Amino acid sequence: MTQSATTNRRIVLAARPQGAPAAADFRLEQAPMPVPGDGQVLLRTLYLSLDPYMRQLMDEVPPAYAPRVELGSHMVGGTVNRVVASRHPDFKAGDLVLGNAGWQDYALSDGSDLRQLGEMAQPSLALGGLGMPAFTAYVGLLDIGQPKPGDTVVVAAATGAVGAIVGQIAKLKGARVIGIAGGADKVAFAREQLGFDVALDRHDPQLAQKLAEAAPDGIDVYFENVGGAVFDAVLPLLNIGARVPVIGVIAQYNHNGALQGPDRLPAVMSAILQKRIRMQGLVILDHYETRFDDFARDMAAWVVDGKVKLFEDVLDGLHQAPQGLIGLLQGSNFGKVVVRVATS
Amino acid sequence: MTQSATTNRRIVLAARPQGAPAAADFRLEQAPMPVPGDGQVLLRTLYLSLDPYMRQLMDEVPPAYAPRVELGSHMVGGTVNRVVASRHPDFKAGDLVLGNAGWQDYALSDGSDLRQLGEMAQPSLALGGLGMPAFTAYVGLLDIGQPKPGDTVVVAAATGAVGAIVGQIAKLKGARVIGIAGGADKVAFAREQLGFDVALDRHDPQLAQKLAEAAPDGIDVYFENVGGAVFDAVLPLLNIGARVPVIGVIAQYNHNGALQGPDRLPAVMSAILQKRIRMQGLVILDHYETRFDDFARDMAAWVVDGKVKLFEDVLDGLHQAPQGLIGLLQGSNFGKVVVRVATS
């Protein structure tokens, strides 16, 4: 079933996941094409972004920064859209826009959440390397991590949409970059394609020891975008004055309730104190007004100059979105995951 | 046994504590009076500061910011000293100085760690309300906590040397202050003497609920100087953008090894992320060059104007130091604990 000009396919939340989401937690439905009212824009979805935060919105208790998805409602998500029809003065049919149509073919918007993209050779990049994940990498690394030349920067999920950009920007800033990723393929990718100085496998039982060997001068910045065991290996190696931007804790999204001991918090608090660590959370929604223009200018220049390479993992067809998210949460992707819903 | 002009009493580390320190971990010894060499100053101790960090220096593995005390060596600590004899051009006999003579009557210094105090009516204040603990409160609260008028600030160990100052400065800056302290006496002290808006007993089984009632608009700054259970009550109440200066984790100093579960770290990491919390460690040694003059000027003015009240808990005689530290770690003090070793 492909996109039609008369009906709206949408993928809704069928059940709240117990732990990792499963295919049965999603349901593909058909609905009538929505009709724009006065001041509204009708959008057709070309590309849908898949991102780890989506898992959190599937829970009964959502995170602090966004409402949950209701049962029977369509899954939310960032999208690249073509304007089909407009009753809004700022948009006209044919415009290419960045929107939040979610997991569906068509959506209405009052325009307040839309950003004009102009024409782009590769519009899906507005969801990845020129969009939210890379913007997260940029603000988290530069504003919180603040790497200096010669610093050692460690990034987990190193081949993911955010991690791949973090490491490349850190290299640009003169830092030594250690990437941690799951599996030999990704380790090779991080070293060969992304150009990181060292790449380690997070499944390696000797991860802690190898990380210590790879960071003989300690770690100055740890970009936390996974949560879980990697942090345990990083913690003893953090230098005095280290910075830890916290932008994701994927490893925890599928857990329900309190975790088994031992309690790791006291050791972390002691390290924060003794090493004067600055740990700070980032939700990228906060920073569009103040930092997006800087990001867009810098990143475009870096990409044009070949200093930052962008990698996409494109799934074909809306029906692939559930499996795409499930895989993303397991770390099966290389670079930014997008769903191609339609081509034009 | 009181101070003599010919022998040097000193209290040495007799054994490394297992858990909480005990009297048997200390030993009072006598040694010959030291003789200053060229460039050295001979100091007599008038007041000795007792501080929670001392517990950490008694362990085999010391914290990152200071070396351990060796078995058989005298316990270290900040002191107010009278210069007895000087072979250093910047000091003369009779000078009153801030030093680091430790738990003993006499010590030598090369002058590099000494600060001239001039004459003070109450020289012990150089160890507390005009010294390190209050300086820690000042930098931690103002530089990391950054309270704004109307913010809700929570401080634990609210009647301790640091906490009492934190709360009073927060009030000065227009914040609403909730103090947490152990026992009814301290709760009353925090409210009546220190002027905090609310004071709660950390032993109260309904602490979490009472804290929630006392902070209907959430918590903007949590000044972490104890570690342990108070943080669990604070965490769910932290507001978006909250700041958590971490300056002490007393509750953990007496623990050895990993603690029983559940693992509290994942919930803390999630909160840091979702609420964009900034958590940052502080070791006050880092800040003397850049911030001490500001502190000394502001604090002197506040004390003179009656805006900040200073409270001391004075123990008489060097022999009381071990019990003083043991009690301090149990939270039995009101305000800054100092030992009066000699009077002039």
Side-chain angles (χ1 to χ4, degrees), chain A residues 106-328:
Chain A
Y106 296 98
L108 298 176
S109 166
D110 66 3
S112 62
D113 66 334
L114 302 182
R115 183 184 286 261
Q116 287 279 7
L117 290 176
E119 277 308 307
M120 293 176 72
Q122 197 179 342
S124 57
L125 289 182
L127 300 173
L130 303 177
M132 186 269 280
F135 184 37
T136 303
Y138 180 92
V139 176
L141 182 68
L142 298 182
D143 294 3
I144 301 177
Q146 302 177 12
K148 296 183 295 294
D151 274 1
T152 296
V153 173
V154 173
V155 57
T159 62
V162 177
I165 304 294
V166 167
Q168 292 184 85
I169 297 178
K171 287 291 296 177
L172 268 176
K173 297 294 180 184
R176 196 160 161 278
V177 173
I178 302 172
I180 299 175
D185 285 1
K186 288 194 199 160
V187 166
F189 183 87
R191 209 148 32 199
E192 292 157 19
Q193 300 295 320
L194 299 174
F196 296 175
D197 297 282
V198 177
L200 300 174
D201 190 336
R202 73 179 157 90
H203 302 304
D204 189 330
Q206 300 202 296
L207 175 64
Q209 184 191 323
K210 289 188 179 168
L211 185 61
E213 289 165 8
D217 300 324
I219 295 169
D220 301 291
V221 179
Y222 173 54
F223 195 98
E224 173 64 292
N225 56 350
V226 294
V230 173
F231 188 44
D232 295 341
V234 166
L235 189 66
L237 302 174
L238 287 174
N239 286 332
I240 287 177
R243 287 80 66 198
V244 180
V246 180
I247 69 101
V249 285
I250 301 179
Q252 297 168 199
Y253 293 168
N254 287 339
H255 285 292
N256 295 319
L259 300 179
Q260 295 300 306
D263 183 5
R264 293 141 74 219
L265 184 60
V268 170
M269 294 296 282
S270 287
I272 288 174
L273 168 59
Q274 294 182 24
K275 297 180 178 178
R276 301 80 143 169
I277 293 166
R278 176 179 176 183
M279 188 178 284
Q280 187 168 346
L282 172 76
V283 170
I284 196 60
L285 300 174
D286 301 343
H287 301 274
Y288 277 86
E289 271 192 36
T290 55
R291 293 289 274 151
F292 191 82
D293 290 346
D294 297 334
F295 158 75
R297 181 198 61 229
D298 288 346
M299 185 60 78
W302 292 333
V303 171
V304 167
D305 294 348
K307 290 180 178 167
V308 171
K309 291 193 259 182
L310 304 181
F311 295 90
E312 288 191 320
D313 200 335
V314 182
L315 304 173
D316 247 313
L318 180 61
H319 64 284
Q320 294 219 51
Q323 194 52 50
L325 180 61
I326 292 167
L328 173 64

Side-chain angles (χ1 to χ4, degrees), chain B residues 290-306:
Chain B
T290 53
R291 292 290 273 149
F292 191 83
D293 290 346
D294 296 334
F295 157 75
R297 181 198 61 228
D298 287 346
M299 184 60 78
W302 291 333
V303 170
V304 167
D305 293 349

Side-chain angles (χ1 to χ4, degrees), chain B residues 3 8 25 56 59-60 64 76 80 93 142 146 166 195 203 215 225 231 273 282 291 315 335 338:
Chain B
Q3 203 169 55
N8 184 25
D25 298 329
Q56 293 196 286
D59 280 337
E60 182 77 19
V76 298
V80 169
L142 298 183
Q146 301 177 13
V166 167
H203 303 304
N225 56 350
F231 188 44
L273 167 59
L282 171 77
R291 292 290 273 149
L315 304 172
V338 294

Side-chain angles (χ1 to χ4, degrees), chain B residues 20-56:
Chain B
D25 298 329
F26 304 91
R27 188 171 64 236
L28 180 64
E29 291 185 347
Q30 294 196 54
M33 171 94 107
V35 177
D38 198 34
Q40 286 189 317
V41 176
L42 175 63
L43 303 170
R44 185 172 69 243
T45 302
L46 306 185
Y47 291 94
L48 164 66
S49 180
L50 294 182
D51 300 280
Y53 77 84
M54 293 169 170
R55 170 64 187 86
Q56 293 196 286

